[in-house]
Amino acid sequence: MDIGSHRGEFLQDLLVNLEEYNFDTIAVEINDFDLSQNIARNKVLSDVKKIPLDDKSFDIVVSRYVLAWNSLENQKKIISEIKRLTKGVAIIQHQGADKDNPKELQKSSGELFGGIVKPLKREEFYFSTEQEIENILKEEKIKYEIIQ
């Protein structure tokens, strides 16, 4: 399952580079136009904070660049949802603020995205720090490994 799949760019790469596997792909996306362009076999139009699928349904769950488009509180909900749906491994790719100066990235991101976030209806974006994400994972009792 690819959460926040957009038009399925990651799934396309996965299927091309690992063609020896027979993945049953499912894309979850909030934007119906993007979802209509997605290459996944199965598609779910949904808010990623509450996906209408059964607990522990997926061997592999991937979420790329989804967290930063949400408030810190919603990032917690998304990670909790990923935990609920995953019975195997989850991969969360996150572009966040560095440990040394998170406020600077958060401020510059606010200035940069201030003009385009509202039209995208993503008014609560927040570039969380690595430590904030680690804290959420610990609160959720999720085993994790950070790979950079």
Side-chain angles (χ1 to χ4, degrees), residues 4-119:
S5 187
H6 194 56
R7 295 184 183 166
E9 297 88 348
F10 176 77
L11 292 176
Q12 178 68 36
D13 287 345
L14 183 74
L15 295 173
V16 166
N17 291 298
L18 298 173
E19 61 186 22
E20 66 272 20
Y21 296 95
N22 184 23
F23 290 106
D24 186 15
T25 55
I26 185 167
V28 177
E29 175 59 45
I30 196 166
N31 182 304
D32 56 351
F33 177 77
D34 288 341
L35 193 62
S36 73
Q37 306 295 308
N38 199 296
I39 59 114
R41 286 187 201 155
N42 302 291
K43 302 172 186 181
V44 175
L45 183 64
S46 176
D47 183 326
V48 296
K49 296 181 299 296
K50 187 160 177 62
I51 300 169
L53 298 170
D54 294 336
D55 294 359
K56 306 295 181 206
S57 299
F58 300 93
D59 294 315
I60 302 170
V61 175
V62 177
S63 177
R64 299 173 49 243
Y65 305 120
V66 172
L67 297 180
W69 292 105
N70 291 273
S71 67
L72 185 59
E73 186 59 36
N74 284 340
Q75 290 179 33
K76 292 176 186 178
K77 292 175 184 176
I78 294 165
I79 290 172
S80 180
E81 190 68 351
I82 291 169
K83 177 185 176 185
R84 180 184 73 78
L85 294 166
T86 306
K87 66 179 172 183
V89 174
I91 300 169
I92 301 172
Q93 186 176 18
H94 176 55
Q95 176 186 354
D98 62 34
K99 290 181 179 180
D100 297 330
N101 196 356
K103 297 294 181 199
E104 185 60 34
L105 177 63
Q106 291 162 356
K107 180 182 177 215
S108 64
S109 297
E111 292 169 359
L112 175 65
F113 291 116
I116 64 170
V117 170
K118 189 171 182 175

